[in-house]
Structures are given as structure tokens and as C-alpha cells.
Amino acid sequence: MNARGLDHDGTIAREGALNRVSAVFAPVVDAARIRISGTFGDARLHSAYLYGSIPRGTAVPGVSDLDLQLALHHEPTDADRADAKAVEAALDRAFAQIDGVGILLTSTRVLLSDLERHDAGFFLACLCTPLLGADLAEGLPRYRPTALLARETNGDLALLLPRWRARATEAATDADRRALCRGVARRLVRTGFTLIMPRWGGWTSDLNESAELFGRYYPERVEQMRTAAATGRAPSADPAALSMLIDDLGPWLAAEYTAAHGEKAPRS
């Protein structure tokens, strides 16, 4: 991998690996493997993957969360979702070095579909690290930092803004507001990066680097994006922080993104 996250052929390199998991998080990963396998079994589970800071080797004890993607043989059911919630809660209780657990459930059909080729497929092939089972990335293409990839990964920001505003209105506690603030901030930083990704010609998942690269092309918005990157790591319960993200930076970014890359293909 070069400094722009690319392999020698110019395609985006897979960013994580099990050998990058630091010693402090190794017991967490081992426990996740055992609990997922025991809960879902071969009948339901095709494969499981890590993503985020832990497989990238950048996780901070007591701050970082554990992120997992499960590929199921069938479409996720209510029972699958309930089991995933139970695994999340058990792992979060057991390990002080993580601050939360998130498990995504997706069928192999969706992950390998043409519609998701440049979104969920890209996510799995480049941003996920195999943990259990056969790697679905072997059936996916190599990806380049193109406008098509930008459109299909984050070209739906305009659709998310009304949902975020509704959640902000409904948030009843500081914990609710912090959780929303963290998710919104991270999504905006990643969208800001993929906005400029084809021009920069590479890939990164680092929030700080994403904000700084964005600022090379949009200096008038760089301070807001730096704030979003900081908030993505240390979320705020201040309603003003959410308002800046949802009512100012978000709408501007959605309009600029659509103008540059177009809208993501509709999902049913």
C-alpha cells in the first residue's frame, strides 16, 4: 500500500488486517469470533468481518468501538437482529477497552449484487477484514477512486438529513444526542472525503486526514470539517454542535456532492 492507500496497480488496498490488531484488543476479537460462531452457526452465517479502527491498528482503549459485519446465507430476520443485539451487549459488558459494539447484518445476495457493487461490495472488499468463513471479497472486483465509487458510497446524503433532524428533535438525553452527533459527524467527514477522492486519487478512512484533504479543495469549509472530525471521535451533547452539522455543513455538502457526482442509485 502506498501513501494514498493504493496497491501497485492503482486499486484501493484493503486497509485492515488481523495482524494489525493491537495486543489490548486481541482478547476482544477472539471473544467476538467465538461468540458470533456460537450464536449464528454455519446454518446462518456465511462469514464475519471486522472493520474500523481495531483492524486498522489505530484503536484507542476505552474510546474505540468494535465494528463487525456479518454476511448471512439469508436475508436478516428479526431473530437474527435480536441475536446480534445480544452479542453486542455481551461483548460491550465484557471488555472495558471498547466503548460500544456495532454489528451489521447483510445477506450474501445483497453484498454480491450488482446494485451494491460500489457500495456494500466496496465496503466489504476494501474496508472489512475477514474474521470467520470464506472471504466474499474474492468474488468482487478491485476498486479505484472514481466518481462512480464516490456517487455510490455517499451520494445519498440529502436523504439522510431529514432523518437526522427528526432524531435530533426526538433525542431525550445527552447520551442520545452524543450518539447521534458521533454518527452524523463521521458520515459527514467520510462524505467530504469521497467528494474530493477522485481528484486526490486515493483512499483513507482516517477522520483527521480526511478533513485535511477535504480542506485542500474547500478551504472555506475546512474548519467545520475539522470540527466534524473531532466530534466524530469525541461527540458532544450540545444541540448547537448537532445544528452546525445537520443544518449548515450537511445541506451544503449534500448539494455540492450531487453537483459533483450525482445521486446514488435508488434502493427499494
Side-chain angles (χ1 to χ4, degrees), residues 7-256:
D7 275 335
H8 61 87
D9 61 354
T11 59
I12 296 171
R14 203 170 209 167
E15 63 178 16
L18 292 180
N19 61 13
R20 295 181 191 168
V21 176
S22 65
V24 70
F25 290 103
V28 183
V29 172
D30 290 340
R33 183 188 291 108
I34 292 168
R35 192 169 286 273
I36 289 167
S37 180
T39 300
F40 287 89
D42 293 340
R44 287 192 286 172
L45 183 70
H46 174 278
S47 48
Y49 307 81
L50 297 170
Y51 69 95
S53 60
I54 289 179
R56 292 200 303 269
T58 60
V60 178
V63 175
S64 298
D65 53 359
L66 173 67
D67 296 310
L68 297 147
Q69 166 76 66
L70 305 191
L72 303 181
H73 292 296
H74 55 261
E75 302 306 318
T77 65
D78 288 343
D80 295 324
R81 285 184 277 271
D83 284 344
K85 290 293 183 185
V87 172
E88 290 174 347
L91 290 171
D92 195 26
R93 285 194 304 267
F95 296 98
Q97 55 266 58
I98 53 173
D99 181 19
V101 180
I103 297 178
L104 301 177
L105 300 175
T106 316
S107 69
T108 57
R109 179 195 65 81
V110 168
L111 290 167
L112 297 177
S113 67
D114 289 341
L115 183 62
E116 293 292 340
R117 183 61 49 87
H118 287 83
D119 189 8
F122 162 74
F123 170 73
L124 187 137
C126 294
L127 309 186
C128 288
T129 297
L131 181 66
L132 281 165
D135 185 7
L136 284 174
E138 294 179 4
L140 292 165
R142 301 301 302 272
Y143 294 88
R144 297 178 183 275
T146 62
L148 171 62
L149 184 62
R151 186 185 76 216
E152 291 304 303
T153 51
N154 288 303
D156 58 349
L157 180 59
L159 300 179
L160 297 177
L161 292 171
R163 302 175 200 171
W164 289 342
R165 292 190 186 105
R167 285 182 59 191
T169 300
E170 296 165 1
T173 67
D174 282 353
D176 291 338
R177 283 182 282 273
R178 277 193 293 269
L180 177 59
C181 195
R182 182 182 192 180
V184 169
R186 290 184 174 193
R187 182 62 183 267
L188 291 182
V189 175
R190 288 167 182 151
T191 301
F193 169 70
T194 52
L195 171 62
I196 61 90
M197 172 189 67
R199 282 181 279 177
W200 182 62
W203 180 268
T204 182
S205 289
D206 182 86
L207 294 178
N208 284 341
E209 184 179 19
S210 294
E212 295 307 315
L213 290 170
F214 167 86
R216 295 183 188 179
Y217 301 87
Y218 295 96
E220 71 280 9
R221 291 276 177 171
V222 68
E223 289 305 323
Q224 285 186 321
M225 196 61 77
R226 285 171 176 158
T227 298
T231 304
R233 295 188 308 277
S236 171
D238 183 354
L242 261 178
S243 180
M244 185 279 284
L245 296 171
I246 297 174
D247 298 320
D248 188 353
L249 181 59
W252 172 84
L253 185 56
E256 186 70 16

